[in-house]
Amino acid sequence: MESNQAPQGLMGSNDNIQRTQDPYVTGTSVVALKYKDGILMAADMGGSYGSTLRYKTVERLKPVGKHSLLGASGEISDFQEILHYLDELILYDNMWDDGNSLGPKEVHSYLTRVMYSRRNKFDPLWNSLVLGGVKNGQKYLGMVSMIGVNFEDNHVATGFGNHLARPILRDEWHENLSFEDGVKLLEKCMRVLLYRDRSAVNKLQIAKITDEGVTISQPYSLKTFWGFSAFENPTVGAEGSW
Amino acid sequence: MDLNMNDLNQPHSMGTTIIGVTYNGGVVLGADSRTSTGVYVANRASDKITQLTDNVYICRSGSAADSQTVSDYVRYFLHQHTIQLGEPATVKVAANLVRLLSYNNKNILQTGVIVGGWDKYEGGKIYGIPLGGTIIEQPFAIGGSGSSYLYGFFDQVWREGMTREEAEQLVVKAVSLAIARDGASGGVVRTVTINSEGVTRKFYPGDKLPLWHEELEPQNSLLDILKHPGPEPMNI
């Protein structure tokens, strides 16, 4: 590996030129939807190291300030760095002590600027972020990718979730879902991801955010179904196939 | 004459097995002792468990140069931090210093480490810091090329609240299993146990480790075997 760096600034980068990196420890999909009282968000607790399912208790859903919830997929070290930036952002916001606090829209905008700015320097934060929250009764749910593409919607997902969960959500989501229906819908999406995403791990958390605050569930696992008769003897009548 | 001269100029790399395990009262860190340049074993008795402070040690894997340099810087920073703080540094601070260097230089460094130690606030703690600079606190951590062979083993055998002896035995067994299968790990098993009472280093030479599948009891010479042959098989 060559070094194209001047030997300065160990703990933080000054004007070091870095190139687009490779991700090492990564999290897979995050899925989220708006429901009657706020936002529900789900993510598994896996940290993959290439094809190895190396870490199985990584928290990928974190509260931000009083009004927002952040879920991340992609490189975990970059997510940890983003949480550090957000800590500072919230701290400085609190220091104004003016009764105002950053809402989810503002946090989403900040993250978009950070992600896009890093992309322009060819040094991206290798994450896809889901930012959801409620402020003064207004629900907000948005997404930012590692190249700074951002949008908001009634339901969002990252990574594989885009291909497997969004179609389910497009079909079955409606306004004013109850908490129970929302959770069931998210669990349906997470189960499909567990079946079909190689990097999925069967230990997940579901978080909710309402005007009252943030709750992140304890880790739990989903039951899976394997009892199809077709699964038992799939190659009957077609020996050699799979 | 072997024309594999490129090996001699390969970077020193610690294809390695490193382990850190918490137990009831502290932590046990373990590692093999092989450092290779390409296929040649440059050092068969290296010490991959390096001291950062009196109460915090680090298991190094990956590039020998990178991991040594990171350790040296963190030891230097922690020394000053301890003086300023007026008491021993916590394991968390040590681990986060390592993470800062790993993360901010992620495009240059090639080292994955395990930081373990004991402090009076949190007791025994283990932090894994793989390539890329993610920091993750774990009840046990494994790393290095040999760790691939240990995921299943630990999944089966690990439990919380072991005694010190149980934890040490587990670490020695695990490193020796990895050495049996990973060409890049070998030599002796070193362990470092850290708790409220202090630090203990132990050394398990290669010939004292248990034998695994298809491994035979070592002998001095064939001549000994011929002199005292084993029992003849029966003819039934």
Side-chain angles (χ1 to χ4, degrees), chain B residues 170-205:
Chain B
L170 175 64
V171 168
V172 174
K173 189 173 186 185
V175 178
S176 109
L177 278 168
I179 286 175
R181 291 293 184 176
D182 179 29
S185 299
V188 310
V189 179
R190 297 192 194 279
T191 64
V192 171
T193 306
I194 313 172
N195 52 34
S196 57
E197 279 144 41
V199 176
T200 319
R201 267 191 176 278
K202 289 211 178 120
F203 168 80
Y204 300 84

PDB file of all heavy atoms in Angstrom, chain B residues 170-205:
ATOM      1  N   LEU B 170      -9.219 -21.391  28.341  1.00  0.00           N
ATOM      2  CA  LEU B 170      -9.967 -21.193  27.099  1.00  0.00           C
ATOM      3  C   LEU B 170      -9.100 -20.495  26.063  1.00  0.00           C
ATOM      4  O   LEU B 170      -9.052 -20.893  24.889  1.00  0.00           O
ATOM      5  CB  LEU B 170     -11.218 -20.357  27.390  1.00  0.00           C
ATOM      6  CG  LEU B 170     -12.064 -19.948  26.186  1.00  0.00           C
ATOM      7  CD1 LEU B 170     -12.644 -21.172  25.511  1.00  0.00           C
ATOM      8  CD2 LEU B 170     -13.176 -19.005  26.601  1.00  0.00           C
ATOM      9  N   VAL B 171      -8.387 -19.456  26.496  1.00  0.00           N
ATOM     10  CA  VAL B 171      -7.558 -18.676  25.568  1.00  0.00           C
ATOM     11  C   VAL B 171      -6.434 -19.544  25.007  1.00  0.00           C
ATOM     12  O   VAL B 171      -6.182 -19.550  23.794  1.00  0.00           O
ATOM     13  CB  VAL B 171      -7.001 -17.431  26.282  1.00  0.00           C
ATOM     14  CG1 VAL B 171      -5.912 -16.779  25.447  1.00  0.00           C
ATOM     15  CG2 VAL B 171      -8.116 -16.427  26.534  1.00  0.00           C
ATOM     16  N   VAL B 172      -5.760 -20.291  25.872  1.00  0.00           N
ATOM     17  CA  VAL B 172      -4.650 -21.133  25.402  1.00  0.00           C
ATOM     18  C   VAL B 172      -5.165 -22.185  24.423  1.00  0.00           C
ATOM     19  O   VAL B 172      -4.579 -22.420  23.363  1.00  0.00           O
ATOM     20  CB  VAL B 172      -3.964 -21.835  26.586  1.00  0.00           C
ATOM     21  CG1 VAL B 172      -2.913 -22.802  26.077  1.00  0.00           C
ATOM     22  CG2 VAL B 172      -3.323 -20.811  27.495  1.00  0.00           C
ATOM     23  N   LYS B 173      -6.295 -22.811  24.770  1.00  0.00           N
ATOM     24  CA  LYS B 173      -6.868 -23.832  23.886  1.00  0.00           C
ATOM     25  C   LYS B 173      -7.206 -23.229  22.523  1.00  0.00           C
ATOM     26  O   LYS B 173      -6.912 -23.810  21.480  1.00  0.00           O
ATOM     27  CB  LYS B 173      -8.139 -24.368  24.547  1.00  0.00           C
ATOM     28  CG  LYS B 173      -8.754 -25.561  23.892  1.00  0.00           C
ATOM     29  CD  LYS B 173      -9.902 -26.080  24.765  1.00  0.00           C
ATOM     30  CE  LYS B 173     -10.447 -27.373  24.194  1.00  0.00           C
ATOM     31  NZ  LYS B 173     -11.630 -27.832  24.932  1.00  0.00           N
ATOM     32  N   ALA B 174      -7.828 -22.042  22.558  1.00  0.00           N
ATOM     33  CA  ALA B 174      -8.262 -21.418  21.310  1.00  0.00           C
ATOM     34  C   ALA B 174      -7.073 -21.050  20.426  1.00  0.00           C
ATOM     35  O   ALA B 174      -7.068 -21.352  19.221  1.00  0.00           O
ATOM     36  CB  ALA B 174      -9.105 -20.186  21.619  1.00  0.00           C
ATOM     37  N   VAL B 175      -6.063 -20.400  20.998  1.00  0.00           N
ATOM     38  CA  VAL B 175      -4.907 -19.999  20.183  1.00  0.00           C
ATOM     39  C   VAL B 175      -4.244 -21.244  19.616  1.00  0.00           C
ATOM     40  O   VAL B 175      -3.839 -21.289  18.452  1.00  0.00           O
ATOM     41  CB  VAL B 175      -3.889 -19.185  21.006  1.00  0.00           C
ATOM     42  CG1 VAL B 175      -2.685 -18.837  20.148  1.00  0.00           C
ATOM     43  CG2 VAL B 175      -4.526 -17.906  21.523  1.00  0.00           C
ATOM     44  N   SER B 176      -4.168 -22.292  20.423  1.00  0.00           N
ATOM     45  CA  SER B 176      -3.487 -23.497  19.933  1.00  0.00           C
ATOM     46  C   SER B 176      -4.288 -24.173  18.827  1.00  0.00           C
ATOM     47  O   SER B 176      -3.714 -24.712  17.875  1.00  0.00           O
ATOM     48  CB  SER B 176      -3.170 -24.408  21.115  1.00  0.00           C
ATOM     49  OG  SER B 176      -3.954 -25.534  21.116  1.00  0.00           O
ATOM     50  N   LEU B 177      -5.618 -24.120  18.893  1.00  0.00           N
ATOM     51  CA  LEU B 177      -6.453 -24.650  17.796  1.00  0.00           C
ATOM     52  C   LEU B 177      -6.220 -23.855  16.523  1.00  0.00           C
ATOM     53  O   LEU B 177      -6.122 -24.428  15.430  1.00  0.00           O
ATOM     54  CB  LEU B 177      -7.931 -24.575  18.171  1.00  0.00           C
ATOM     55  CG  LEU B 177      -8.484 -25.693  19.031  1.00  0.00           C
ATOM     56  CD1 LEU B 177      -9.854 -25.317  19.556  1.00  0.00           C
ATOM     57  CD2 LEU B 177      -8.556 -27.005  18.259  1.00  0.00           C
ATOM     58  N   ALA B 178      -6.124 -22.551  16.651  1.00  0.00           N
ATOM     59  CA  ALA B 178      -5.918 -21.708  15.466  1.00  0.00           C
ATOM     60  C   ALA B 178      -4.546 -21.972  14.865  1.00  0.00           C
ATOM     61  O   ALA B 178      -4.394 -22.071  13.652  1.00  0.00           O
ATOM     62  CB  ALA B 178      -6.064 -20.246  15.844  1.00  0.00           C
ATOM     63  N   ILE B 179      -3.544 -22.121  15.728  1.00  0.00           N
ATOM     64  CA  ILE B 179      -2.183 -22.393  15.242  1.00  0.00           C
ATOM     65  C   ILE B 179      -2.175 -23.691  14.445  1.00  0.00           C
ATOM     66  O   ILE B 179      -1.471 -23.818  13.430  1.00  0.00           O
ATOM     67  CB  ILE B 179      -1.212 -22.486  16.446  1.00  0.00           C
ATOM     68  CG1 ILE B 179      -0.948 -21.094  17.015  1.00  0.00           C
ATOM     69  CG2 ILE B 179       0.092 -23.142  16.040  1.00  0.00           C
ATOM     70  CD1 ILE B 179      -0.116 -21.109  18.269  1.00  0.00           C
ATOM     71  N   ALA B 180      -2.971 -24.673  14.890  1.00  0.00           N
ATOM     72  CA  ALA B 180      -3.005 -25.974  14.215  1.00  0.00           C
ATOM     73  C   ALA B 180      -3.456 -25.852  12.768  1.00  0.00           C
ATOM     74  O   ALA B 180      -3.083 -26.655  11.922  1.00  0.00           O
ATOM     75  CB  ALA B 180      -3.931 -26.907  14.978  1.00  0.00           C
ATOM     76  N   ARG B 181      -4.304 -24.852  12.483  1.00  0.00           N
ATOM     77  CA  ARG B 181      -4.881 -24.769  11.140  1.00  0.00           C
ATOM     78  C   ARG B 181      -4.445 -23.562  10.333  1.00  0.00           C
ATOM     79  O   ARG B 181      -4.579 -23.570   9.109  1.00  0.00           O
ATOM     80  CB  ARG B 181      -6.413 -24.755  11.254  1.00  0.00           C
ATOM     81  CG  ARG B 181      -6.993 -26.083  11.722  1.00  0.00           C
ATOM     82  CD  ARG B 181      -6.797 -27.177  10.708  1.00  0.00           C
ATOM     83  NE  ARG B 181      -7.427 -28.435  11.086  1.00  0.00           N
ATOM     84  CZ  ARG B 181      -7.459 -29.526  10.299  1.00  0.00           C
ATOM     85  NH1 ARG B 181      -6.883 -29.502   9.129  1.00  0.00           N
ATOM     86  NH2 ARG B 181      -8.048 -30.627  10.717  1.00  0.00           N
ATOM     87  N   ASP B 182      -3.944 -22.522  10.984  1.00  0.00           N
ATOM     88  CA  ASP B 182      -3.578 -21.309  10.248  1.00  0.00           C
ATOM     89  C   ASP B 182      -2.075 -21.276  10.032  1.00  0.00           C
ATOM     90  O   ASP B 182      -1.312 -21.213  10.993  1.00  0.00           O
ATOM     91  CB  ASP B 182      -4.037 -20.070  11.033  1.00  0.00           C
ATOM     92  CG  ASP B 182      -3.651 -18.783  10.322  1.00  0.00           C
ATOM     93  OD1 ASP B 182      -3.557 -18.795   9.071  1.00  0.00           O
ATOM     94  OD2 ASP B 182      -3.430 -17.770  11.007  1.00  0.00           O
ATOM     95  N   GLY B 183      -1.650 -21.329   8.790  1.00  0.00           N
ATOM     96  CA  GLY B 183      -0.218 -21.311   8.485  1.00  0.00           C
ATOM     97  C   GLY B 183       0.456 -20.034   8.935  1.00  0.00           C
ATOM     98  O   GLY B 183       1.651 -20.009   9.207  1.00  0.00           O
ATOM     99  N   ALA B 184      -0.334 -18.970   9.045  1.00  0.00           N
ATOM    100  CA  ALA B 184       0.268 -17.704   9.421  1.00  0.00           C
ATOM    101  C   ALA B 184       0.365 -17.528  10.930  1.00  0.00           C
ATOM    102  O   ALA B 184       0.861 -16.505  11.399  1.00  0.00           O
ATOM    103  CB  ALA B 184      -0.549 -16.571   8.809  1.00  0.00           C
ATOM    104  N   SER B 185      -0.113 -18.492  11.690  1.00  0.00           N
ATOM    105  CA  SER B 185       0.019 -18.413  13.156  1.00  0.00           C
ATOM    106  C   SER B 185       0.882 -19.563  13.613  1.00  0.00           C
ATOM    107  O   SER B 185       0.849 -20.650  13.018  1.00  0.00           O
ATOM    108  CB  SER B 185      -1.347 -18.529  13.834  1.00  0.00           C
ATOM    109  OG  SER B 185      -2.191 -17.492  13.428  1.00  0.00           O
ATOM    110  N   GLY B 186       1.654 -19.355  14.682  1.00  0.00           N
ATOM    111  CA  GLY B 186       2.485 -20.454  15.172  1.00  0.00           C
ATOM    112  C   GLY B 186       3.358 -20.034  16.323  1.00  0.00           C
ATOM    113  O   GLY B 186       3.235 -18.924  16.844  1.00  0.00           O
ATOM    114  N   GLY B 187       4.232 -20.957  16.711  1.00  0.00           N
ATOM    115  CA  GLY B 187       5.193 -20.617  17.763  1.00  0.00           C
ATOM    116  C   GLY B 187       4.658 -20.932  19.145  1.00  0.00           C
ATOM    117  O   GLY B 187       4.177 -22.034  19.402  1.00  0.00           O
ATOM    118  N   VAL B 188       4.742 -19.963  20.038  1.00  0.00           N
ATOM    119  CA  VAL B 188       4.292 -20.170  21.413  1.00  0.00           C
ATOM    120  C   VAL B 188       2.989 -19.418  21.620  1.00  0.00           C
ATOM    121  O   VAL B 188       2.609 -18.577  20.800  1.00  0.00           O
ATOM    122  CB  VAL B 188       5.348 -19.675  22.427  1.00  0.00           C
ATOM    123  CG1 VAL B 188       6.710 -20.248  22.085  1.00  0.00           C
ATOM    124  CG2 VAL B 188       5.429 -18.163  22.444  1.00  0.00           C
ATOM    125  N   VAL B 189       2.317 -19.751  22.744  1.00  0.00           N
ATOM    126  CA  VAL B 189       1.130 -18.987  23.120  1.00  0.00           C
ATOM    127  C   VAL B 189       1.512 -18.107  24.292  1.00  0.00           C
ATOM    128  O   VAL B 189       2.066 -18.593  25.290  1.00  0.00           O
ATOM    129  CB  VAL B 189      -0.029 -19.918  23.549  1.00  0.00           C
ATOM    130  CG1 VAL B 189      -1.235 -19.100  23.959  1.00  0.00           C
ATOM    131  CG2 VAL B 189      -0.402 -20.853  22.410  1.00  0.00           C
ATOM    132  N   ARG B 190       1.264 -16.821  24.142  1.00  0.00           N
ATOM    133  CA  ARG B 190       1.522 -15.907  25.261  1.00  0.00           C
ATOM    134  C   ARG B 190       0.179 -15.437  25.795  1.00  0.00           C
ATOM    135  O   ARG B 190      -0.728 -15.141  25.014  1.00  0.00           O
ATOM    136  CB  ARG B 190       2.312 -14.690  24.798  1.00  0.00           C
ATOM    137  CG  ARG B 190       3.688 -15.015  24.265  1.00  0.00           C
ATOM    138  CD  ARG B 190       4.509 -13.736  24.107  1.00  0.00           C
ATOM    139  NE  ARG B 190       5.686 -13.979  23.306  1.00  0.00           N
ATOM    140  CZ  ARG B 190       6.810 -14.511  23.780  1.00  0.00           C
ATOM    141  NH1 ARG B 190       6.893 -14.842  25.052  1.00  0.00           N
ATOM    142  NH2 ARG B 190       7.845 -14.703  22.979  1.00  0.00           N
ATOM    143  N   THR B 191       0.066 -15.364  27.131  1.00  0.00           N
ATOM    144  CA  THR B 191      -1.158 -14.760  27.689  1.00  0.00           C
ATOM    145  C   THR B 191      -0.766 -13.669  28.669  1.00  0.00           C
ATOM    146  O   THR B 191       0.297 -13.718  29.299  1.00  0.00           O
ATOM    147  CB  THR B 191      -2.035 -15.774  28.441  1.00  0.00           C
ATOM    148  OG1 THR B 191      -1.320 -16.261  29.559  1.00  0.00           O
ATOM    149  CG2 THR B 191      -2.453 -16.918  27.549  1.00  0.00           C
ATOM    150  N   VAL B 192      -1.640 -12.679  28.779  1.00  0.00           N
ATOM    151  CA  VAL B 192      -1.457 -11.615  29.765  1.00  0.00           C
ATOM    152  C   VAL B 192      -2.779 -11.464  30.490  1.00  0.00           C
ATOM    153  O   VAL B 192      -3.822 -11.258  29.870  1.00  0.00           O
ATOM    154  CB  VAL B 192      -1.092 -10.276  29.078  1.00  0.00           C
ATOM    155  CG1 VAL B 192      -1.122  -9.138  30.074  1.00  0.00           C
ATOM    156  CG2 VAL B 192       0.282 -10.373  28.433  1.00  0.00           C
ATOM    157  N   THR B 193      -2.756 -11.637  31.810  1.00  0.00           N
ATOM    158  CA  THR B 193      -3.989 -11.523  32.604  1.00  0.00           C
ATOM    159  C   THR B 193      -3.934 -10.231  33.396  1.00  0.00           C
ATOM    160  O   THR B 193      -2.940  -9.963  34.083  1.00  0.00           O
ATOM    161  CB  THR B 193      -4.108 -12.712  33.565  1.00  0.00           C
ATOM    162  OG1 THR B 193      -4.008 -13.905  32.809  1.00  0.00           O
ATOM    163  CG2 THR B 193      -5.454 -12.692  34.279  1.00  0.00           C
ATOM    164  N   ILE B 194      -4.995  -9.423  33.304  1.00  0.00           N
ATOM    165  CA  ILE B 194      -5.017  -8.118  33.973  1.00  0.00           C
ATOM    166  C   ILE B 194      -6.243  -8.041  34.869  1.00  0.00           C
ATOM    167  O   ILE B 194      -7.365  -8.300  34.421  1.00  0.00           O
ATOM    168  CB  ILE B 194      -5.089  -6.969  32.949  1.00  0.00           C
ATOM    169  CG1 ILE B 194      -4.077  -7.186  31.821  1.00  0.00           C
ATOM    170  CG2 ILE B 194      -4.848  -5.630  33.630  1.00  0.00           C
ATOM    171  CD1 ILE B 194      -4.212  -6.208  30.689  1.00  0.00           C
ATOM    172  N   ASN B 195      -6.021  -7.712  36.155  1.00  0.00           N
ATOM    173  CA  ASN B 195      -7.146  -7.523  37.071  1.00  0.00           C
ATOM    174  C   ASN B 195      -6.766  -6.473  38.108  1.00  0.00           C
ATOM    175  O   ASN B 195      -5.743  -5.799  37.961  1.00  0.00           O
ATOM    176  CB  ASN B 195      -7.527  -8.857  37.724  1.00  0.00           C
ATOM    177  CG  ASN B 195      -6.332  -9.542  38.351  1.00  0.00           C
ATOM    178  OD1 ASN B 195      -5.421  -8.889  38.873  1.00  0.00           O
ATOM    179  ND2 ASN B 195      -6.304 -10.851  38.284  1.00  0.00           N
ATOM    180  N   SER B 196      -7.584  -6.377  39.174  1.00  0.00           N
ATOM    181  CA  SER B 196      -7.335  -5.319  40.158  1.00  0.00           C
ATOM    182  C   SER B 196      -5.990  -5.491  40.830  1.00  0.00           C
ATOM    183  O   SER B 196      -5.395  -4.534  41.316  1.00  0.00           O
ATOM    184  CB  SER B 196      -8.435  -5.319  41.211  1.00  0.00           C
ATOM    185  OG  SER B 196      -8.501  -6.601  41.813  1.00  0.00           O
ATOM    186  N   GLU B 197      -5.507  -6.744  40.875  1.00  0.00           N
ATOM    187  CA  GLU B 197      -4.231  -6.977  41.574  1.00  0.00           C
ATOM    188  C   GLU B 197      -3.020  -6.653  40.732  1.00  0.00           C
ATOM    189  O   GLU B 197      -1.923  -6.504  41.259  1.00  0.00           O
ATOM    190  CB  GLU B 197      -4.145  -8.435  42.028  1.00  0.00           C
ATOM    191  CG  GLU B 197      -4.899  -8.688  43.324  1.00  0.00           C
ATOM    192  CD  GLU B 197      -5.558 -10.048  43.313  1.00  0.00           C
ATOM    193  OE1 GLU B 197      -4.914 -10.999  42.840  1.00  0.00           O
ATOM    194  OE2 GLU B 197      -6.722 -10.132  43.764  1.00  0.00           O
ATOM    195  N   GLY B 198      -3.198  -6.591  39.395  1.00  0.00           N
ATOM    196  CA  GLY B 198      -2.039  -6.290  38.554  1.00  0.00           C
ATOM    197  C   GLY B 198      -2.033  -7.111  37.284  1.00  0.00           C
ATOM    198  O   GLY B 198      -3.076  -7.532  36.793  1.00  0.00           O
ATOM    199  N   VAL B 199      -0.815  -7.357  36.773  1.00  0.00           N
ATOM    200  CA  VAL B 199      -0.664  -7.986  35.465  1.00  0.00           C
ATOM    201  C   VAL B 199       0.204  -9.222  35.588  1.00  0.00           C
ATOM    202  O   VAL B 199       1.245  -9.178  36.230  1.00  0.00           O
ATOM    203  CB  VAL B 199       0.013  -6.988  34.497  1.00  0.00           C
ATOM    204  CG1 VAL B 199       0.271  -7.642  33.167  1.00  0.00           C
ATOM    205  CG2 VAL B 199      -0.847  -5.753  34.333  1.00  0.00           C
ATOM    206  N   THR B 200      -0.230 -10.331  34.975  1.00  0.00           N
ATOM    207  CA  THR B 200       0.588 -11.556  34.979  1.00  0.00           C
ATOM    208  C   THR B 200       0.804 -12.034  33.562  1.00  0.00           C
ATOM    209  O   THR B 200      -0.155 -12.231  32.818  1.00  0.00           O
ATOM    210  CB  THR B 200      -0.142 -12.688  35.724  1.00  0.00           C
ATOM    211  OG1 THR B 200      -0.770 -12.155  36.868  1.00  0.00           O
ATOM    212  CG2 THR B 200       0.832 -13.775  36.124  1.00  0.00           C
ATOM    213  N   ARG B 201       2.071 -12.255  33.197  1.00  0.00           N
ATOM    214  CA  ARG B 201       2.395 -12.778  31.860  1.00  0.00           C
ATOM    215  C   ARG B 201       2.651 -14.265  31.955  1.00  0.00           C
ATOM    216  O   ARG B 201       3.382 -14.713  32.842  1.00  0.00           O
ATOM    217  CB  ARG B 201       3.680 -12.130  31.341  1.00  0.00           C
ATOM    218  CG  ARG B 201       3.467 -10.931  30.515  1.00  0.00           C
ATOM    219  CD  ARG B 201       4.781 -10.559  29.844  1.00  0.00           C
ATOM    220  NE  ARG B 201       4.570  -9.443  28.956  1.00  0.00           N
ATOM    221  CZ  ARG B 201       4.085  -9.557  27.717  1.00  0.00           C
ATOM    222  NH1 ARG B 201       3.811 -10.732  27.221  1.00  0.00           N
ATOM    223  NH2 ARG B 201       3.888  -8.492  26.964  1.00  0.00           N
ATOM    224  N   LYS B 202       2.062 -15.035  31.017  1.00  0.00           N
ATOM    225  CA  LYS B 202       2.365 -16.465  30.995  1.00  0.00           C
ATOM    226  C   LYS B 202       2.830 -16.882  29.603  1.00  0.00           C
ATOM    227  O   LYS B 202       2.510 -16.227  28.615  1.00  0.00           O
ATOM    228  CB  LYS B 202       1.129 -17.274  31.387  1.00  0.00           C
ATOM    229  CG  LYS B 202       0.776 -17.154  32.834  1.00  0.00           C
ATOM    230  CD  LYS B 202       0.131 -18.408  33.384  1.00  0.00           C
ATOM    231  CE  LYS B 202      -0.147 -18.226  34.865  1.00  0.00           C
ATOM    232  NZ  LYS B 202      -1.553 -18.353  35.190  1.00  0.00           N
ATOM    233  N   PHE B 203       3.549 -17.990  29.581  1.00  0.00           N
ATOM    234  CA  PHE B 203       4.210 -18.412  28.356  1.00  0.00           C
ATOM    235  C   PHE B 203       4.004 -19.909  28.201  1.00  0.00           C
ATOM    236  O   PHE B 203       4.294 -20.670  29.112  1.00  0.00           O
ATOM    237  CB  PHE B 203       5.693 -18.060  28.523  1.00  0.00           C
ATOM    238  CG  PHE B 203       6.598 -18.662  27.505  1.00  0.00           C
ATOM    239  CD1 PHE B 203       6.719 -18.103  26.255  1.00  0.00           C
ATOM    240  CD2 PHE B 203       7.366 -19.780  27.828  1.00  0.00           C
ATOM    241  CE1 PHE B 203       7.589 -18.643  25.322  1.00  0.00           C
ATOM    242  CE2 PHE B 203       8.242 -20.313  26.894  1.00  0.00           C
ATOM    243  CZ  PHE B 203       8.350 -19.745  25.645  1.00  0.00           C
ATOM    244  N   TYR B 204       3.444 -20.330  27.070  1.00  0.00           N
ATOM    245  CA  TYR B 204       3.179 -21.748  26.834  1.00  0.00           C
ATOM    246  C   TYR B 204       3.953 -22.170  25.589  1.00  0.00           C
ATOM    247  O   TYR B 204       3.505 -21.893  24.475  1.00  0.00           O
ATOM    248  CB  TYR B 204       1.681 -21.978  26.630  1.00  0.00           C
ATOM    249  CG  TYR B 204       0.835 -21.566  27.804  1.00  0.00           C
ATOM    250  CD1 TYR B 204       0.441 -20.235  27.962  1.00  0.00           C
ATOM    251  CD2 TYR B 204       0.422 -22.490  28.756  1.00  0.00           C
ATOM    252  CE1 TYR B 204      -0.323 -19.843  29.037  1.00  0.00           C
ATOM    253  CE2 TYR B 204      -0.355 -22.110  29.825  1.00  0.00           C
ATOM    254  CZ  TYR B 204      -0.717 -20.785  29.970  1.00  0.00           C
ATOM    255  OH  TYR B 204      -1.483 -20.394  31.035  1.00  0.00           O
ATOM    256  N   PRO B 205       5.104 -22.827  25.753  1.00  0.00           N
ATOM    257  CA  PRO B 205       5.916 -23.156  24.580  1.00  0.00           C
ATOM    258  C   PRO B 205       5.199 -24.131  23.664  1.00  0.00           C
ATOM    259  O   PRO B 205       4.364 -24.912  24.100  1.00  0.00           O
ATOM    260  CB  PRO B 205       7.176 -23.792  25.184  1.00  0.00           C
ATOM    261  CG  PRO B 205       6.811 -24.185  26.547  1.00  0.00           C
ATOM    262  CD  PRO B 205       5.705 -23.302  27.002  1.00  0.00           C
TER     263      PRO B 205
END
